Amino acid sequence: GQNIDQPTEMTATEGAIVQINCTYQTSGFNGLFWYQQHAGEAPTFLSYNVLDGLEEKGRFSSFLSRSKGYSYLLLKELQMKDSASYLCAVKGYSTLTFGKGTMLLVSP
Amino acid sequence: SQTIHQWPATLVQPVGSPLSLECTVEGTSNPNLYWYRQAAGRGLQLLFYSIGIDQISSEVPQNLSASRPQDRQFILSSKKLLLSDSGFYLCAWTSSGRGLNGYTFGSGTRLTVV
């Protein structure tokens, strides 16, 4: 099975940098995904890591260490619209298992 | 381009009534299809997934069922709803294979059982 842990809530200031951590234990690993979910909406895909290292996509970066079962999502130059829940998800043999999400609150 | 449609957006149903939620994908063939549920304060829970017509796997035993009558259509059903079935239901798809771009979700159905 899969076990995924991430902080429940984080707060940050507009313009700052925030790092959201995710640790996982899995019986099969075919990649780690990050999704953004605004309140009342469906999750939207942010990033995907299957190999160790950093993947950068504009203001968002995601890092993976398979040996440590660890990933983080880095958000730079925070904007008010980044206030949302961020979901870490691990792909096993055929399906995605999601963590409970980290609610990020960005204040002015 | 590929699109996913899910309806209805909102539903209020009495306990014991039936349920049918529909999801269709356009612009692709032989997609992998998924039903997730998100209850208040909880993460996304995988309910069913299908890698082809007549190939449906259930992840959580409960009073829900899923069917795939056509290649790009996925239906979630219940004969008798329970209060605990309330939640945000999301359909998702990915291309058959490794799904490197992750799952794409429909807009969701918010179900309230009263």
Side-chain angles (χ1 to χ4, degrees), chain B residues 4-114:
Chain B
I4 179 169
H5 302 279
Q6 188 181 341
W7 65 93
T10 307
L11 199 56
V12 179
Q13 293 283 97
V15 170
S17 64
L19 174 73
S20 180
L21 302 181
E22 189 163 340
C23 171
T24 59
V25 180
E26 295 179 356
T28 188
S29 59
N30 196 31
N32 294 340
L33 296 170
Y34 307 84
W35 278 111
Y36 282 85
R37 177 173 62 199
Q38 189 173 37
R42 299 183 64 180
L44 283 164
Q45 180 187 35
L46 179 64
L47 302 175
F48 299 94
Y49 69 96
S50 171
I51 60 172
I53 288 180
D54 297 328
Q55 298 181 69
I56 297 174
S57 299
S58 172
E59 290 290 302
V60 183
Q62 54 201 322
N63 68 320
L64 299 173
S65 61
S67 61
R68 186 168 177 173
Q70 299 179 44
D71 179 47
R72 291 169 292 167
Q73 184 183 29
F74 205 24
I75 296 174
L76 182 69
S77 304
S78 174
K79 292 182 179 178
K80 286 186 178 182
L81 284 169
L82 306 172
L83 285 175
S84 58
D85 291 325
S86 294
F88 191 39
Y89 287 81
L90 290 155
C91 179
W93 80 275
T94 189
S95 56
S96 54
R98 296 186 62 194
L100 292 178
N101 289 323
Y103 293 9
T104 301
F105 287 87
S107 53
T109 296
R110 189 160 302 282
L111 171 67
T112 304
V113 183
V114 296

Side-chain angles (χ1 to χ4, degrees), chain A residues 47-108:
Chain A
S47 69
Y48 169 73
N49 296 71
V50 66
L51 300 176
D52 290 352
L54 189 68
E55 294 281 342
E56 297 188 79
K57 253 187 181 183
R59 294 190 300 115
F60 296 80
S61 304
S62 57
F63 171 83
L64 175 68
S65 169
R66 289 172 296 170
S67 62
K68 295 182 179 178
Y70 168 69
S71 174
Y72 67 73
L73 179 69
L74 193 70
L75 293 80
K76 304 175 186 175
E77 301 169 14
L78 280 173
Q79 302 175 10
M80 297 298 290
K81 67 178 182 180
D82 296 328
S83 290
S85 184
Y86 291 86
L87 311 178
C88 173
V90 174
K91 187 169 185 184
Y93 296 113
S94 56
T95 61
L96 268 184
T97 300
F98 285 82
K100 292 185 179 179
T102 298
M103 178 65 68
L104 174 65
L105 302 172
V106 180
S107 58

